[in-house]
Amino acid sequence: MRYILALDQGTTSSRAILFDRQGQVVRIAQQEYPQHFPQPGWVEHDPLDIWNSQLACARRVLADGGIDACEVAAIGITNQRETTVVWDRATSEPLCHAIVWQDRRTAALCDDLRAAGKAPLIQRKTGLELDAYFSATKLQWLLTHVPGARARAERGELAFGTVDSWLTYKLTGRHVTDASNAARTMLFNINSLRWDPELLSLFGVPASMLPEVVPSSGIVADADPAWFGRAIPIAGIAGDQQAATFGQACHRRGMVKNTYGTGCFMLMHAGDTPPQSHNRLLATVGWTVGNHTDYLLEGSVFMGGATVQWLRDGLGIIKQSADVEALALSVPDSGGVMLVPAFVGLGAPHWDAYARGTIVGMTRGTTAAHIARAAVEAIAYQSAELLAAMQKDAACVVHEVRADGGAARNDLLMQFQADLLGVPVVRPQVTETTALGAAYLAGLAVGFWSSRDEIAAQWKSERRFEPQLPAARRDEMMARWSRAVAHARAWAVPEHH
């Protein structure tokens, strides 16, 4: 048993990564799959595309390395969170397309619940803001709008799950999820660590649809030998951001990581009781190992690396995402331009579903390079707002922020981020921390690694970015950012509001 296989099911691609005992990447396979945008603000995936691409990657990573399934000690699964899948229990066929976390179609449902005074109840039980981002209103929408869905659900014929549940069901036939994913549905009580009957009734969800909640680290079931030629145990499950926090060895209260992916997600270890946020951050379950649960504070930025994809696909000013750094560096600064990437609304700490993307401060001298620079800087500005909110909530001093995700390879972004935060930003040697976290959770369950201490000792820094800006200049820049955000807010409020 020489390896752990991590399945990393993301928003735009599926990946499979093999890790060795040192926590090093041995092999990686990746496959993009189609995105569906049936209407403005709607984002969907075909669950079969998710499954087929993930299975293909897992098989390819073994085949390419000439690795036999009997050398793999366990499989860990990590996934895009909140994305909502409903399938037929008997045939394991999807009922319809999955509604993706980025989808905004249920914003009006959230408005109605807010008007009915339900937001404080939801926050108290789930730690979440009432927002279209989470699974509950997506599931409610599917049960209402897909013909026959509600009647079939009430007869016990349909299963609901986030992407981890869907993959586990396809691999093993067992209908489960872990607490880190359950905590993102807005149906799960993070205090009792159980599905909440009052919330199920509020959203009209039959309890028979729900997966069983299992520990994040623990053997769930074996993958059917048909998939890999041998039964491999599924032994770790965690939502992508929680997995990345675990993979960054943020195992102690006050440790922070920020992932620069499609969105940006900053998480702080908050100890072993659910934190209370007074600054519109999310309280969420980190992971359950044995019978011990760790909690996290989380701030979500919806458009991180996706802002750079927009420069590439929407504006066509770069050929590939990696080109953004050189273009942005061709000018000394953004020339006074601020880009607020509220393309799908704003996440924490604003939670404005009706904000829209805005560029301010342009002059006749503004070039594509200034806009590229402003786009990179916007990623850092949004994350800086999150850390400020976190430090207020947690009342603890943050000594460093551990960075990962694709855009963490951008040195310009990392230095600008350290300057805005006023604390060092540290990039680890292994930036595949999401998959690594899932591998660690699975490996701990089967004794591949002995303890969290052994795991934490494997974490090593590749580069440390020290802040170089005076505090007064930093405050000035954040104040300008706040002015820019004010222009983007509430732009798309429907006429009837």
Side-chain angles (χ1 to χ4, degrees):
M1 296 287 181
R2 299 164 54 197
Y3 307 107
I4 298 284
L5 173 60
L7 307 184
D8 181 0
Q9 206 299 305
T11 309
T12 54
S13 68
S14 296
R15 302 185 321 149
I17 305 185
L18 274 174
F19 291 96
D20 64 17
R21 282 188 199 277
Q22 283 65 53
Q24 295 295 315
V25 174
V26 177
R27 239 171 222 290
I28 190 162
Q30 180 164 354
Q31 188 176 318
E32 289 200 6
Y33 62 92
Q35 309 288 306
H36 301 274
F37 309 103
Q39 292 186 33
W42 291 29
V43 189
E44 295 179 357
H45 292 155
D46 181 338
L48 291 175
D49 288 339
I50 289 176
W51 161 243
N52 290 324
S53 61
Q54 189 61 75
L55 180 63
C57 288
R59 285 173 161 170
R60 194 162 80 238
V61 86
L62 295 174
D64 288 357
I67 287 156
D68 192 276
C70 66
E71 296 177 79
V72 178
I75 293 173
I77 295 176
T78 183
N79 54 288
Q80 54 163 319
R81 303 171 304 170
E82 298 96 17
T83 294
T84 301
V85 190
V86 177
W87 65 92
D88 181 307
R89 281 186 185 284
T91 64
S92 84
E93 286 299 305
L95 176 72
C96 54
H97 276 182
I99 303 185
V100 179
W101 60 272
Q102 295 164 317
D103 188 285
R104 308 307 294 166
R105 78 184 67 178
T106 60
L109 278 176
C110 294
D111 292 343
D112 294 345
L113 286 164
R114 198 172 287 106
K118 298 298 184 190
L121 166 85
I122 288 169
Q123 198 205 11
R124 192 172 71 248
K125 286 178 177 251
T126 67
L128 306 177
E129 286 281 329
L130 173 50
D131 192 82
Y133 173 32
F134 305 106
S135 317
T137 57
K138 302 181 195 299
L139 180 53
Q140 184 182 18
W141 190 94
L142 287 175
L143 290 174
T144 306
H145 290 87
V146 176
R150 184 167 296 284
R152 293 188 62 200
E154 277 162 4
R155 288 199 300 271
E157 294 171 16
L158 300 181
F160 150 74
T162 41
V163 168
D164 59 300
S165 291
W166 166 240
L167 292 177
T168 310
Y169 196 83
K170 294 295 275 185
L171 286 165
T172 71
R174 249 194 104 185
H175 187 208
V176 298
T177 189
D178 88 302
S180 75
N181 279 296
R184 311 299 294 189
T185 60
M186 224 155 66
L187 299 168
F188 186 76
N189 188 316
I190 64 167
N191 306 291
S192 66
L193 297 173
R194 287 188 168 74
W195 298 114
D196 192 283
E198 190 177 2
L199 295 174
L200 295 182
S201 139
L202 179 64
F203 292 103
V205 174
S208 64
M209 295 187 79
L210 300 172
E212 178 193 344
V213 181
V214 297
S216 315
S217 177
I219 297 174
V220 173
D222 286 344
D224 188 312
W227 304 127
F228 306 115
R230 183 184 83 85
I232 307 173
I234 312 288
I237 302 173
D240 53 11
Q241 300 314 318
Q242 289 97 328
T245 309
F246 199 82
Q248 283 274 35
C250 292
H251 300 158
R252 291 193 313 282
R253 193 172 171 276
M255 294 182 78
V256 177
K257 74 90 197 170
N258 197 23
T259 295
Y260 298 83
T262 305
C264 289
F265 300 88
M266 186 178 284
L267 285 83
M268 173 191 275
H269 194 298
D272 53 10
T273 52
Q276 291 292 310
S277 177
H278 305 289
N279 294 282
R280 306 198 74 186
L281 297 175
L282 308 177
T284 201
V285 171
W287 43 79
T288 301
V289 178
N291 51 14
H292 185 87
T293 300
D294 288 324
Y295 291 89
L296 306 171
L297 264 176
E298 173 172 339
S300 326
V301 165
F302 296 152
M303 293 285 290
T307 312
V308 176
Q309 287 167 349
W310 173 74
L311 297 179
R312 182 191 69 192
D313 304 337
L315 290 189
I317 62 174
I318 50 173
K319 284 273 194 296
Q320 46 199 29
S321 295
D323 300 342
V324 76
E325 187 170 8
L327 182 59
L329 278 169
S330 68
V331 287
D333 54 47
S334 71
V337 176
M338 284 266 181
L339 186 160
V340 182
F343 297 90
V344 291
L346 285 170
H350 308 287
W351 296 105
D352 183 345
Y354 300 110
R356 286 298 176 266
T358 307
I359 303 178
V360 292
M362 290 192 291
T363 65
R364 283 289 301 275
T366 299
T367 65
H370 292 112
I371 290 171
R373 180 103 182 193
V376 171
E377 292 182 352
I379 299 172
Y381 276 118
Q382 293 177 101
S383 295
E385 287 184 304
L386 299 181
L387 190 71
M390 254 171 209
Q391 292 192 290
K392 281 184 204 152
D393 269 344
C396 66
V397 180
V398 172
H399 299 291
E400 65 178 30
V401 171
R402 296 183 169 186
D404 57 63
R409 291 193 282 273
N410 183 322
D411 290 350
L412 169 68
L413 171 60
M414 293 296 98
Q415 184 57 55
F416 190 71
Q417 185 71 84
D419 288 342
L420 281 184
L421 295 177
V423 299
V425 172
V426 189
R427 185 168 60 202
Q429 285 177 7
V430 178
T431 53
E432 299 293 350
T433 54
T434 302
L436 181 57
Y440 279 153
L441 288 164
L444 279 174
V446 296
F448 192 81
W449 290 289
S450 60
S451 67
R452 289 198 209 186
D453 292 341
E454 183 187 353
I455 285 169
Q458 293 186 351
W459 188 92
K460 295 197 173 49
S461 154
E462 178 261 324
R463 182 158 172 200
R464 200 175 168 86
F465 297 86
E466 298 285 347
Q468 293 165 357
L469 269 191
R473 178 76 185 117
R474 195 161 64 232
D475 294 345
E476 237 169 74
M477 289 164 73
M478 289 307 297
R480 281 192 68 232
W481 169 256
S482 297
R483 278 174 56 208
V485 169
H487 290 297
R489 298 209 48 183
W491 185 260
V493 170
E495 295 302 320
H496 60 267
H497 265 242

